[in-house]
Amino acid sequence: MTREEAKERIEKLRRIIDYHRALYHSFDSPEISDAVFDTLKNELEELEYEYPDLVTPDSPTQKIGGRPLDKFKKVAHEEPMLSLNDAFSAREMEEWRDRVENYISGRGKTLYGASFYCELKIDGLAIELVYENGVLIRGSTRGDGIFGEDITQNMLTITDVPKKLDCFGRLEVPSRLVARGEIFIAKKEFTRINKEQKRDGLKEYANPRNLAAGSVRQLDSRVTAGRKLKSFQYDISMIYPKVVFKTHEEEHKALASWGFTVNPENRRVDSLEKACEFRDEWENSRGRLTYEVDGIVVFINENDIFEIAGVVGKAPRGGIAYKFSPREATAVVQNIKIQVGRTGVLTPVAELSPVQVSGVTISRATLHNEDEIRRLGLKIGDTVIVTRAGDVIPKITKVITELRTGKEKNFIMPARCPIDNSKVKRDGVLSKCSNPKCGARHRESLYHVVSRGAFDIRGLGRKIMDKFLDEGLISDAADIFSLSEGDIEVLDRLGKKSAENIVSEIKSKKKTTLARFIFGLGILHIGEETAADLARIASDGRKKIRIPSEVGEFFAAYSTDDFEKINDIGPKIAESLREWFGRKENIALLSRFDKAGVEFEAPKQTGKKLEGKTFVLTGVLKTLDREEAKEKIRTLGGDTSETVSKKTSFVVAGESPGSKKAKAERLGVKTINESEFLRMLSE
Ligand code: IVH
């Protein structure tokens, strides 16, 4: 992205974030989920980090969201109500710890030996409660952090909000106390109220937080009272007479001792690793809570360190929200590719900028058919919302048209099949290749790419390849090399572990030999031996061939006559090669292999002692498999062939040799056994 493009994107992101933030904080009627809001905000933060001179004071990254509404009396908070920065991975949590350590070490403190206080991050809205001589005198929302809305009347209707403080513990009830916490609504209550809204023809609430927010902002307190709101308190922002709480944990205990409801799940841990574990455990078991949580909040438990760490921007440096993986996120549609199914149906598949959804990185989403693209109004280059519910393939649910630059391109279903160039015909909503054999043949060619003699990708059997194809994860051979763990993990019954194994196996095979690569291309009539001959010729050329597109450049200059000059290549093979290297789709495929990171090992020519010798293998060898034996012969400068002829130097006969041995005897070609062969290799 150029600086100019970044500037334009930053401005658009600010506008859209401000708009949604106002809907969220002030009007309680969001149009997008928190997760999508978070991805937009993150993108803005990252761009501003990259271009710090483009940061402006009015950027949403510099302001606390929300604006008090006029319908309530405004109240000034004694201390600003801050917010928290977000982290989305254990690495970001470590970075946070390092930043804090860095900052406090210059001020005589260290995190060494410190503990962390972990709390569930409730999906509700923050409130402030002011008590004088133990009596609740005011309740307010956060508003813009400086001024909130006075919602005292409504707070009086909530059972968890004490109207009068008790003294269950050692601590006296203070003469003045400002406590902060969260108002929320249970999941069940959310469902019940939404049912009623629907029945009464009223607008349903988007999520429990929204409903809670809408309920405390009612002018008629009877409505609030009817909604069974709940509350946890989690912070003491001011206390008089002053009490020194050594830790955040002690503050929670004090709140409980005065009769506030504190969350029983909150816990002190003695390392950041344990805090991350706390988050991971709750990410998996949040279903058993009666209310929604969207992550955890982690504070440095020792208050002296927390104080010294101070405030950065709008958030305390000593605290952070470690969010659960979003189930939705935004991504950019970089391209729309066509996947040809077994029956020849053409399915458009969106290639996305990699994005985390439900804990996995995904880079593709199926678009089903042309009508779906039209329904979404999707163009190539659009920023979209990607959703994944449970173990299903991600879907694009919405286009964020506000982020368009004007450079987006319309998608047009090709008139010709991208695989075999046959005409594409419509069949209802579906587009199909008119060649009935095309889809099945394409599938075979992809099975071939990963087979033993080609890329030799273990674990990618036909069944898995079929899944990849059916779900639109791959549409050509190069796609195999850009699959991410997330793309695979979401497939039915393929868990995290197998996804990791597959991706690491694919990665390890990106570096291959030129011979295997050419064989893998599946060019008509090109077997392993011819592929090896072509590879040898290409590597003998002046320019070293290192990446797939260079193979195309090298053979593009070859005529059928040139091909025929190569050992064992007759007119049929030469024609097939000429045709393959002459097609622009194939040349484009080679470039896609480059992009996916496929490259060639330097040829392992360790000697030339078998130069000029041609070997034919027959029967089963005990110590080597066939591929290994052939590779060894080639490494030593020899050649291999499938057919015995007068030109054959040796037939290597393993156990139960086939007719090739007999043919060798007839033609007077020398036959050697496995140990003679091994000696020949090692001498
Ligand atoms: S502590 C400096 N604890 O998350 C703010 N916040 O992004 C300290 N939240 O505005 C807040 N559960 O509305 C804290 N257990 C919890 C929370 C919690 C939910 C909300 C709160 C806050 C936002 C921070």
Side-chain angles (χ1 to χ4, degrees), residues 21-29 65-72 125-126 140-144 148-151 154-155 158 183 209-221 223-224 227 229:
R21 185 173 264 182
L23 287 180
Y24 173 107
H25 283 291
S26 306
F27 300 104
D28 306 326
S29 61
R67 183 170 57 84
L69 283 191
D70 291 341
K71 66 178 179 177
F72 293 99
L125 85 155
S140 59
T141 63
R142 178 168 64 176
D144 62 6
E149 296 124 318
D150 187 337
I151 48 160
N154 294 343
M155 287 300 102
I158 300 174
I183 294 285
R209 198 246 356 273
N210 237 225
L211 173 50
S215 307
V216 297
R217 285 199 181 112
Q218 292 290 332
L219 286 174
D220 181 352
S221 299
V223 179
T224 316
R227 289 198 171 164
L229 292 167

Side-chain angles (χ1 to χ4, degrees), residues 81-86 119-126 142 181-182 234-235 266 297 299 315-316 321:
M81 279 184 85
L82 300 175
S83 177
L84 289 173
N85 287 325
D86 295 333
E119 305 178 26
L120 291 180
K121 188 171 185 303
I122 320 286
D123 198 11
L125 85 155
R142 178 168 64 176
E182 201 79 0
Y234 45 64
D235 186 39
N266 295 347
V297 168
F299 283 110

Side-chain angles (χ1 to χ4, degrees), residues 149-168:
E149 296 124 318
D150 187 337
I151 48 160
T152 315
Q153 286 312 308
N154 294 343
M155 287 300 102
L156 294 173
T157 70
I158 300 174
T159 325
D160 287 336
V161 172
K163 314 317 162 280
K164 207 170 163 306
L165 300 184
D166 277 310
C167 185
F168 298 122

